[in-house]
Amino acid sequence: MRFRNKHLRPAKRCPPSLLIWSIIGIALLFHFYTLSQIQSNQIETRIYYSDENSITKELETVEEEPLHVTIARSRRNPRAVRRKGSQKPPSIIDEFLDESSDVHELFFPDMRRAINPRAEGNDSAGYFYSGHVWLDTDGKPIQAHGGGILYDEETGTYYWYGENKDGPTYLAHQNAAARVDIIGVSCYSSKDLWSWKNEGIVLRGKKNDETHDLHKSNVLERPKVIYNDITKTYVMWMHIDNANYSKASVGVATSQNPTGPFQYLYSIQPHGCESRDMTIFKDDNRKAYLIYSSEDNSELHVSPLTDDYLNVTNEFKSIFVRRHREAPALFKFEGTYYMITSGCTGWAPNSALAHASESMMGPWETLGNPCMGGNVIFRHTTYFSQSTFVLPLPGLPGLFIFMADRWNPANLRDSRYVWLPLAIGGVSDESLEYSFGFPLWPRVSIYWHKRWRLPDGWRDL
């Protein structure tokens, strides 16, 4: 039997709330100390990219561009308005998607303003103009949507692969998304990234075989090509689907030459999961990965590929769960992996997000909206475009080209390209949703420029 000493005072327990706030206070102090150290280090990093590397300083300048638009008034009869009530006025995105609106014309300039490498006395030679028609060396609009670029070091040649949408746009059924029958994957080659030669359709759709994945009634999107150094083979991965997007698979094709022809092998649902918007990424150590939207586009999956790049391994990780991100574009700089993604709003543009990780398999952290300059509408619509690829530039460390598509669902063959400089450096200015503060990564910035070009002699740096 235990006896209580009534002369001893019971020990006072620390209230739970005080203990919790003490832990939070210590964490905040540690965080602010860490942030101050990171800021001082990253200021030096930003100076390295801008001031010391002066040839890229102009590209990393924030360029503002006011947007002066007048939203069309409702065409409804005033009596109908009084009887049924007023409707929500169209947004600028609605007007952007409406081919008959004046706003639409602002973002889809006509052929008179095309990027044309054949033009004589061309004072715009070498300049990129986002949203303008881009002609190849034959004078025809480039058809390489949702694409990516492969660089061949031996020949110093860039190969641009993408969807050929040079066909009529239609709806498969009343509630379906706008589509074009599968024509195939186009390939273009270039030495300077501005003047592109059409190498033809390197993977063709099938007109008659209704059982084939590439039958014209199906869907082929976002083709990407990487080179396998072991098998000496060019391997293409792409999103394969049926007209109602229920197949949700990836397809694989191979070729012995970058300009094809590619032989289609098969389609799979990786790890038994849905796969829609996707990309592939080849690391410095020649290991390759598949990144794809899954679970009804509510999350992304990352999986290593087998050594021959023809299948996925058994390993995969789910990232950005319940975040509803798609259109992944991967790149790497100084040992850190970066990704640009878009939201899931169909053909309508939305805000991009940048992400970073020390490993392809995660964990991945979100840095915020990378878009800089233009105006608030441009930044919240990713300049009215959707990410597809990020291209590193040899000789210009920390500088990349952000490649995106400006979709025109009323006429998909007339969708345009948005190419802009992307730089890494400086402190991120948006906090994470689920942390105490700022991410521990330098900022990813996509700079708006109405007209821009790569520095002279960039290939020789």
Side-chain angles (χ1 to χ4, degrees):
M1 184 179 216
R2 297 181 61 189
F3 293 93
R4 182 178 177 186
N5 188 339
K6 58 183 178 181
H7 298 289
L8 286 176
R9 293 183 179 180
K12 292 185 178 180
R13 295 185 178 181
C14 181
S17 60
L18 180 61
L19 181 62
I20 292 172
W21 281 110
S22 299
I23 294 173
I24 291 176
I26 294 171
L28 286 173
L29 287 173
F30 176 77
H31 164 72
F32 288 128
Y33 171 77
T34 305
L35 179 60
S36 65
Q37 298 299 312
I38 292 170
Q39 285 178 325
S40 62
N41 291 337
Q42 289 181 331
I43 288 172
E44 295 178 3
T45 303
R46 184 171 59 180
I47 291 174
Y48 172 77
Y49 296 138
S50 295
D51 293 345
E52 293 184 10
N53 198 359
S54 59
I55 60 172
T56 67
K57 186 176 182 180
E58 182 179 351
L59 300 181
E60 297 177 50
T61 300
V62 177
E63 179 181 314
E64 300 293 337
E65 182 178 339
L67 183 61
H68 303 291
V69 298
T70 301
I71 303 299
R73 294 183 179 181
S74 173
R75 300 181 178 89
R76 297 178 67 202
N77 187 297
R79 292 183 179 178
V81 172
R82 287 194 296 269
R83 185 171 65 253
K84 298 183 179 180
S86 60
Q87 293 181 342
K88 183 180 179 181
S91 67
I92 191 167
I93 293 179
D94 295 329
E95 294 286 315
F96 163 79
L97 296 172
D98 182 357
E99 197 174 28
S100 65
S101 76
D102 294 337
V103 172
H104 183 88
E105 293 182 3
L106 289 175
F107 297 101
F108 294 90
D110 61 28
M111 286 286 291
R112 291 173 296 180
R113 299 171 63 186
I115 302 172
N116 186 1
R118 302 178 67 190
E120 296 182 1
N122 191 351
D123 62 354
S124 295
Y127 282 93
F128 300 99
Y129 294 83
S130 290
H132 288 219
V133 175
W134 197 343
L135 304 180
D136 62 22
T137 53
D138 294 327
K140 297 180 180 179
I142 294 174
Q143 289 288 334
H145 308 284
I149 289 181
L150 170 74
Y151 178 59
D152 183 2
E153 293 185 4
E154 291 187 6
T155 62
T157 303
Y158 292 90
Y159 294 96
W160 182 5
Y161 304 90
E163 308 160 33
N164 187 312
K165 290 188 175 295
D166 195 15
T169 299
Y170 70 96
L171 303 181
H173 52 82
Q174 184 177 1
N175 298 321
R179 59 162 287 127
V180 170
D181 283 346
I182 291 181
I183 296 172
V185 177
S186 296
C187 175
Y188 296 82
S189 63
S190 175
K191 298 283 189 179
D192 60 8
L193 295 174
W194 185 79
S195 178
W196 292 92
K197 176 187 175 184
N198 186 0
E199 300 288 354
I201 298 177
V202 296
L203 179 66
R204 289 190 175 275
K206 305 293 183 181
K207 294 183 178 180
N208 301 317
D209 187 354
E210 295 184 1
T211 65
H212 201 285
D213 282 346
L214 301 185
H215 183 257
K216 64 180 182 178
S217 64
N218 290 326
V219 172
L220 186 164
E221 295 176 337
R222 299 186 171 272
K224 304 294 188 293
V225 176
I226 53 178
Y227 181 68
N228 189 293
D229 300 274
I230 299 174
T231 63
K232 310 299 181 184
T233 303
Y234 295 88
V235 183
M236 178 188 296
W237 284 69
M238 71 215 84
H239 172 204
I240 293 294
D241 229 315
N242 49 23
N244 60 11
Y245 283 84
S246 62
K247 185 177 178 66
S249 302
V250 284
V252 184
T254 61
S255 176
Q256 298 305 308
N257 300 293
T259 55
F262 280 77
Q263 179 184 359
Y264 187 78
L265 301 181
Y266 44 70
S267 66
I268 59 171
Q269 283 196 324
H271 314 105
C273 300
E274 294 177 334
S275 174
R276 294 190 174 90
D277 274 16
M278 47 66 62
T279 193
I280 49 176
F281 175 77
K282 181 180 177 182
D283 207 344
D284 304 331
N285 61 4
R286 299 179 178 178
K287 194 175 186 65
Y289 299 83
L290 170 69
I291 304 92
Y292 59 97
S293 295
S294 192
E295 303 301 322
D296 200 24
N297 288 353
S298 66
E299 62 190 44
L300 292 181
H301 291 178
V302 182
S303 174
L305 297 183
T306 53
D307 290 342
D308 57 9
Y309 300 169
L310 299 182
N311 209 329
V312 292
T313 66
N314 293 327
E315 181 185 9
F316 83 95
K317 289 288 181 68
S318 298
I319 61 175
F320 311 140
V321 176
R322 295 187 297 276
R323 296 287 299 278
H324 294 276
R325 307 304 297 174
E326 65 178 10
L330 276 289
F331 57 107
K332 185 180 182 181
F333 180 63
E334 292 189 342
T336 299
Y337 300 90
Y338 296 92
M339 187 188 313
I340 306 292
T341 64
S342 88
C344 299
T345 55
W347 296 117
N350 56 65
S351 297
L353 286 177
H355 317 271
S357 176
E358 293 180 343
S359 165
M360 277 295 297
M361 304 305 289
W364 285 84
E365 296 190 71
T366 299
L367 310 185
N369 188 336
C371 297
M372 301 281 286
N375 53 67
V376 65
I377 297 175
F378 276 20
R379 291 190 289 274
H380 285 285
T381 58
T382 318
Y383 315 111
F384 289 89
S385 69
Q386 185 183 40
S387 52
T388 184
F389 196 76
V390 175
L391 176 67
L393 294 170
L396 296 175
L399 187 68
F400 303 77
I401 294 180
F402 170 72
M403 297 170 52
D405 293 281
R406 180 172 291 174
W407 298 114
N408 183 2
N411 184 11
L412 286 168
R413 63 160 39 114
D414 192 38
S415 297
R416 308 294 176 84
Y417 310 102
V418 172
W419 285 28
L420 292 168
L422 181 154
I424 298 177
V427 180
S428 178
D429 63 358
E430 292 195 27
S431 61
L432 294 172
E433 290 88 346
Y434 306 110
S435 77
F436 285 110
F438 291 84
L440 308 181
W441 316 98
R443 178 176 173 82
V444 177
S445 302
I446 301 170
Y447 292 94
W448 169 255
H449 293 286
K450 192 172 184 178
R451 155 184 156 126
W452 70 283
R453 64 181 301 174
L454 290 168
D456 292 334
W458 66 273
R459 295 293 306 272
D460 302 322
L461 297 174

